Amino acid sequence: MPRRVGRYTVLLPSRPVITGWAAVGGKKEGEGPLAQEMAQIFSDGTLGQKTWEKAESEMHKAAAARALQNAKKSAADIDIQFAGDLLSQSIGTTFAVREFDIPLFGLYGACSTMAQSLAAAAMLVDGGVIKSGLASTGSHFCASERQFRNPLEYGGQRPPTAQWTATAAGAAVVERSGTGPRVQAAIIGRIQDMDITDANNMGAAMAPAAASTIADFLHDTGSTPQEYDLILTGDLGATGSELLLAFLQKQEGIDISGVHADCGNMLYAPDDKDVLAGASGCGCSASVVCSHICNRLAAGELHRVLFVGTGALLSAVSALQGQSIPGIAHGVLLTSS
Amino acid sequence: MPRRVGRYTVLLPSRPVITGWAAVGGKKEGEGPLAQEMAQIFSDGTLGQKTWEKAESEMHKAAAARALQNAKKSAADIDIQFAGDLLSQSIGTTFAVREFDIPLFGLYGACSTMAQSLAAAAMLVDGGVIKSGLASTGSHFCASERQFRNPLEYGGQRPPTAQWTATAAGAAVVERSGTGPRVQAAIIGRIQDMDITDANNMGAAMAPAAASTIADFLHDTGSTPQEYDLILTGDLGATGSELLLAFLQKQEGIDISGVHADCGNMLYAPDDKDVLAGASGCGCSASVVCSHICNRLAAGELHRVLFVGTGALLSAVSALQGQSIPGIAHGVLLTSS
């Protein structure tokens, strides 16, 4: 059965099912428009932990536990957990999932992790290699700022292109059969690098990767933007979204303006001045997709969503060594049935 | 077709083929017993780059390019590259593979990356999801010491349990058909944590994970150690290997002493006093498996090798925050035909 269409896209004829999903968030996320759809809001950003990294792990763990619960599964029912995060050596993940005792397939795709983990779980379920997978990730504003930019105590001013790393996590159980949204196709992205070096402008670094993955997917499947209810990018924010629409229009002649939305523009209240160009971080698209988007697909209010997670592949070391910020974007086609 | 046997092991009935493999190493690796089997030795550890991280990327790139060449493939023939490394945010990988323009599935399993990437490629090839995958990883002593322990200039004395991070890389092309060693089964490991906190004793941190994965695999497949020519662990070194044999003997009643070898004990000359307890790093098992082991399987001198890559899931941050060092181990069953 030829699953691959075109050069980059994989069709998943068995249409693996997302049988359980959950998102959790911090205080600021709890003040945003999606708060009601989250399984839990932690008003204390420390989650009772002594470090931000441990708080991130607790949040990631909570999302995974809730997703399992919603899928009516225990950890022992899951064949492989696909998880990763932004922290160096993925420690947010390691210390979140340790107690589940599920085989752990660690992955790294920066903020594209939710799309990448969903793609991995769905591809292996569709291939008959596993029966069930758990896809999960999270991020924490305080852990991320310290690692990538400045310690919070520095109190530096952030430029208008800067984004706010979500203090949030999301998780989804993917199975061969059951009730819930389906994963009909997946696309693993290629690195795109347009020589952006400003760590306060991640949207610009990631937009070319999003454009490439969206154009590849539409080309491979011979479909038009109008065939999707949403083409949903991960965390380009206001700046990156604008660039994405312009790239696709000018370089590919593709107009997605009527169907495009970005999780980075959906998580926080529009009048929240802190967030500047929008939300970012692994937890951004994870918490939006594993709450609002899956809910609307399950309710039949959305039917076809091309979710393209976007990641900026930099470290503090590579940034200080003058390297550019390459971007990557992985996608999954989510459908209501 | 039920591929899963027992709780953790996946059989790969189509037996994906490793059609090309290559390893490269630095000066010290060039003085070791496997030097003749490496595709290239770089006597200048900088590889002409200004930073150790960039040197690591160049080495990773060279191994991947050689593996493609040996498989008679170009980058455009590969559906997905599975790659990762030890550096924060996997920058060794990002800047190594950027120019290949192959869809990149980034993974994180610390020093278990070669086994994990081979498992991922083989599972997706076997599932019919992709036709060809490239598995690759690398590490560099100087980049790794600085990141995890002390800057080289510090010149700290290393205890006898310390291992020497390999300045090396390895890569393998996995396809549906062709000539070469085969991947007959895969197992994704679970995190094991026995509360080791000494960053100079990675062998002890990883041995419980290796024991768990080996015991699970033997149990799932109903096989005995004697059915393998080699049970090859990644980079436990002298200390970790001793612990592994003791764990398996005492806790599981399994004696692998007659068939066990560890890549960490194979890479360097036995009289090299620098390396203390042995080699480690993603490049250790990658360079041993993608040279000596694949060569011997291809020549029919080895027939069944259970390769279990071992990883220590720590970061400098988690270590300083008093967290333990959890271990993980992923395995692939490599056969001569």
Side-chain angles (χ1 to χ4, degrees), chain B residues 10-306:
Chain B
V10 179
L11 300 182
L12 307 173
S14 73
R15 300 181 302 133
V17 190
I18 301 178
T19 54
W21 57 93
V24 302
K27 181 165 177 287
K28 190 184 269 297
E29 292 70 23
E31 292 160 359
L34 306 185
Q36 294 305 319
E37 300 192 67
M38 296 206 185
Q40 197 170 355
I41 296 296
F42 298 94
S43 55
D44 171 7
T46 72
L47 280 84
Q49 301 297 311
K50 285 191 179 165
T51 72
W52 302 124
E53 290 75 14
K54 290 182 184 178
E56 178 177 323
S57 290
E58 286 302 307
M59 196 162 265
H60 188 155
K61 198 197 295 186
R66 290 289 190 130
L68 285 171
Q69 202 178 313
N70 291 343
K72 297 186 176 59
K73 294 281 166 192
S74 73
D77 297 321
I78 303 297
D79 288 338
I80 300 181
Q81 180 163 9
F82 302 87
D85 61 84
L86 278 171
L87 298 179
S88 297
Q89 289 75 46
S90 294
I91 52 169
T93 297
T94 297
F95 296 104
V97 309
R98 183 171 48 173
E99 291 155 33
F100 287 131
D101 201 33
I102 303 173
L104 172 67
F105 190 98
L107 33 81
Y108 184 71
C111 304
S112 73
T113 304
M114 194 68 226
Q116 188 186 358
S117 60
L118 278 173
M123 288 192 295
L124 286 172
V125 165
D126 187 68
V129 178
I130 60 172
K131 285 202 306 284
S132 58
L134 173 59
S136 67
T137 186
S139 57
H140 195 298
F141 175 77
C142 303
S144 206
E145 279 299 299
R146 170 162 73 188
Q147 176 176 276
F148 287 109
R149 296 173 194 91
N150 295 304
L152 295 184
E153 295 81 353
Y154 178 71
Q157 196 164 358
R158 296 149 51 82
T161 54
Q163 293 176 247
W164 189 273
T165 302
T167 300
V173 174
V174 180
E175 297 186 75
R176 279 193 201 163
S177 57
T179 309
R182 301 206 167 226
V183 190
Q184 290 232 4
I187 180 167
I188 299 300
R190 292 167 292 143
I191 291 177
Q192 303 297 327
D193 191 340
M194 292 187 71
D195 225 23
I196 304 288
T197 53
D198 179 359
N200 274 313
N201 195 350
M202 294 295 182
M206 299 187 290
S212 145
T213 298
I214 292 169
D216 285 344
F217 188 87
L218 294 177
H219 183 257
D220 284 350
T221 55
S223 59
T224 63
Q226 289 66 43
E227 295 173 43
Y228 303 87
D229 296 331
L230 268 187
I231 294 180
L232 178 71
T233 45
D235 56 345
L236 298 178
T239 310
S241 292
E242 212 173 294
L243 289 170
L244 169 67
L245 298 189
F247 275 139
L248 279 175
Q249 184 71 67
K250 289 190 182 157
Q251 293 183 0
E252 309 282 347
I254 298 172
D255 179 8
I256 65 163
S257 59
V259 294
H260 176 255
D262 182 79
C263 300
N265 298 328
M266 297 163 73
L267 191 59
Y268 296 120
D271 62 349
D272 187 332
K273 292 201 168 43
D274 280 350
V275 305
L276 298 164
S280 69
C282 293
C284 170
S285 63
S287 64
V288 173
V289 169
C290 297
S291 66
H292 186 61
I293 298 299
C294 280
N295 289 346
R296 291 191 68 195
L297 285 163
E301 296 164 19
L302 283 173
H303 296 286
R304 285 167 68 80
V305 175
L306 175 58

Side-chain angles (χ1 to χ4, degrees), chain A:
Chain A
M1 182 163 39
R3 287 194 177 83
R4 187 156 283 256
V5 292
R7 167 79 179 93
Y8 301 109
T9 303
V10 178
L11 301 182
L12 306 173
S14 73
R15 300 181 303 133
V17 191
I18 301 177
T19 55
W21 57 93
V24 302
K27 182 166 177 286
K28 190 184 270 294
E29 292 70 22
E31 293 161 356
L34 306 185
Q36 293 305 318
E37 300 191 67
M38 296 204 184
Q40 198 169 356
I41 296 297
F42 298 94
S43 55
D44 171 6
T46 72
L47 281 84
Q49 301 297 312
K50 285 190 178 167
T51 71
W52 301 124
E53 290 75 14
K54 290 182 183 177
E56 179 177 323
S57 289
E58 285 302 307
M59 198 163 262
H60 189 155
K61 197 196 296 184
R66 289 289 191 131
L68 285 170
Q69 201 178 317
N70 291 342
K72 299 187 176 59
K73 294 282 166 193
S74 73
D77 297 320
I78 303 297
D79 288 337
I80 300 182
Q81 179 163 8
F82 302 87
D85 62 82
L86 278 171
L87 298 180
S88 296
Q89 289 75 45
S90 294
I91 52 169
T93 298
T94 297
F95 296 102
V97 309
R98 180 171 49 169
E99 290 156 35
F100 287 130
D101 200 33
I102 303 172
L104 172 66
F105 190 99
L107 34 81
Y108 185 71
C111 304
S112 72
T113 303
M114 194 68 226
Q116 187 186 359
S117 60
L118 278 173
M123 289 192 295
L124 286 171
V125 165
D126 187 67
V129 178
I130 60 172
K131 284 201 308 284
S132 58
L134 173 58
S136 66
T137 186
S139 56
H140 196 298
F141 174 77
C142 303
S144 206
E145 279 298 298
R146 170 163 72 190
Q147 176 176 274
F148 287 110
R149 295 173 196 91
N150 295 304
L152 296 184
E153 295 81 353
Y154 179 71
Q157 196 164 358
R158 296 149 49 83
T161 54
Q163 293 176 246
W164 189 274
T165 302
T167 300
V173 174
V174 180
E175 296 186 76
R176 278 193 201 163
S177 56
T179 310
R182 303 217 167 214
V183 189
Q184 291 231 4
I187 179 167
I188 299 299
R190 292 168 292 144
I191 292 177
Q192 304 296 327
D193 191 340
M194 292 187 70
D195 225 22
I196 303 288
T197 54
D198 178 1
N200 274 311
N201 195 350
M202 294 295 181
M206 299 187 290
S212 144
T213 298
I214 292 168
D216 285 344
F217 188 87
L218 295 176
H219 182 257
D220 284 350
T221 56
S223 59
T224 62
Q226 288 67 45
E227 295 173 42
Y228 303 87
D229 296 332
L230 268 186
I231 294 180
L232 178 72
T233 46
D235 56 345
L236 298 179
T239 309
S241 292
E242 212 173 293
L243 288 170
L244 169 68
L245 298 189
F247 275 138
L248 281 174
Q249 183 71 67
K250 289 190 182 155
Q251 292 182 2
E252 309 281 346
I254 298 172
D255 178 8
I256 64 163
S257 59
V259 294
H260 175 255
D262 182 80
C263 300
N265 298 327
M266 297 163 73
L267 190 60
Y268 296 120
D271 61 350
D272 187 331
K273 292 202 168 44
D274 281 350
V275 304
L276 297 163
S280 70
C282 293
C284 170
S285 64
S287 65
V288 172
V289 167
C290 297
S291 66
H292 186 60
I293 299 299
C294 280
N295 288 346
R296 291 190 68 196
L297 285 163
E301 296 164 20
L302 284 173
H303 296 285
R304 284 167 67 80
V305 175
L306 174 59
F307 162 45
V308 176
T310 47
L313 302 172
L314 89 160
S315 79
V317 170
S318 62
L320 288 170
Q321 290 178 352
Q323 294 266 36
S324 59
I325 307 176
I328 199 158
H330 304 299
V332 281
L333 174 58
L334 305 174
T335 61
S336 56
S337 61

